[in-house]
Amino acid sequence: MAEHSFPGTGQEFMERTKYRFLVRSDQENGLSQPPLELPKVPGAPVINLPKPSGLVIPPTDLRIAIERRHSVRVYEKTPLSLEELSFLLWCTQGIKKVHGTQATFRTVPSAGARHAFETYLLVNDVDGLEPGLYRFLAISHSLQRISIDPSIHIDIAHACFDQDFIMRCGVAFLWTAVPYRMTWRYGERGYRDLHLDAGHVCQNLYLAAETVGCGVCAIAAFDDDVMASLLGIDGINQFLIYLATVGKAGKAT
């Protein structure tokens, strides 16, 4: 391997986020913490999801789910039910308890219970939902419709370097990070935690999908700036960190 006189970007990131370089966080400096969830978009319709407590989901042995876990890119032309989608959202960002305005305790771990993610959904084939782009409102366990642009699935697939199975899945989960929720407490080190949290969330999706007969494929290859534009975010104070397709599992992978 050729030696360089300067570190690569990744190496520099790891070096500069070591604890010895950190300064006092905004929490330590007494600044108010950011909201637990982004506000609703004014005027955009909200759809209530079936409540997690009322869902009837077939039990699945955890060992079997782990053994079966693999990436699936071919899906049957069978829609997900709204109940199945509600279950998958609860497994990946479901809120078990809200602690005032300070924290939420969810079904996935997050450094300091900061839970800096917002979940967007590209809905292609879900019973009861018009195709389009939605955002999950975790605190109320509901969806808000963001866009019904008929070409949004094509645009997102193209922004993911033409991974066209995105257009054929039942739904794609798109997780964005709101970094200040994390860095308010942990400073620049918090950016490391965001990427760890993304792995926690996506693994929950893989395992939960096994329970409802679905397959998942995680995607980390995308044009950051194009995806930010499609989601209507600035790419700095909120940016896409990870996404995954979900659909009824086909025979090929």
Side-chain angles (χ1 to χ4, degrees), residues 101-117:
T101 60
Q102 296 176 301
T104 55
F105 300 101
R106 308 197 185 195
T107 55
V108 290
S110 176
R114 299 315 305 147
H115 293 292
F117 292 165

Side-chain angles (χ1 to χ4, degrees), residues 176-181 183 191 194 224-225 228-229 232-240:
T176 67
V178 181
Y180 189 56
R181 275 190 221 155
T183 60
Y191 279 91
L194 294 175
D224 300 82
D225 297 328
S229 178
I233 59 180
D234 65 9
I236 299 172
N237 298 301
Q238 184 183 5
F239 56 86
L240 183 66

Side-chain angles (χ1 to χ4, degrees), residues 177-212:
V178 181
Y180 189 56
R181 275 190 221 155
M182 189 69 74
T183 60
W184 171 79
R185 174 168 294 174
Y186 297 115
E188 293 301 294
R189 180 86 177 189
Y191 279 91
R192 290 198 192 194
D193 298 322
L194 294 175
H195 292 87
L196 295 174
D197 283 4
H200 303 320
V201 170
C202 196
Q203 179 72 338
N204 264 30
L205 181 62
Y206 267 98
L207 298 180
E210 288 288 334
T211 302
V212 292

Side-chain angles (χ1 to χ4, degrees), residues 66-103:
I66 291 173
E67 289 176 346
R68 289 179 177 173
R69 191 224 59 79
H70 67 287
S71 292
V72 176
R73 296 174 178 82
V74 175
Y75 308 107
E76 296 177 354
K77 294 182 179 180
T78 303
L80 275 74
S81 70
L82 203 57
E83 290 75 13
E84 290 169 337
L85 179 60
S86 176
F87 172 70
L88 295 176
L89 286 165
W90 182 80
C91 288
T92 52
Q93 280 291 280
I95 293 179
K96 297 185 290 183
K97 181 181 178 181
V98 179
H99 184 61
T101 60
Q102 296 176 301

Side-chain angles (χ1 to χ4, degrees), residues 161-179:
F161 307 110
D162 298 314
Q163 298 185 70
D164 59 5
F165 61 91
I166 292 171
M167 297 185 288
R168 297 190 297 271
C169 68
V171 60
F173 284 59
L174 301 96
W175 296 291
T176 67
V178 181

Side-chain angles (χ1 to χ4, degrees), residues 106-162:
R106 308 197 185 195
T107 55
V108 290
S110 176
R114 299 315 305 147
H115 293 292
F117 292 165
E118 297 286 339
T119 303
Y120 290 77
L121 298 174
L122 170 65
V123 171
N124 290 327
D125 196 4
V126 176
D127 277 338
L129 289 180
E130 189 173 358
L133 185 67
Y134 296 75
R135 183 166 71 90
F136 178 49
L137 307 176
I139 292 176
S140 61
H141 199 76
S142 58
L143 296 177
Q144 184 164 46
R145 194 171 69 201
I146 304 299
S147 172
I148 54 171
D149 181 347
S151 65
I152 188 69
H153 62 309
I154 299 172
D155 294 337
I156 289 177
H158 182 62
C160 294
F161 307 110
D162 298 314

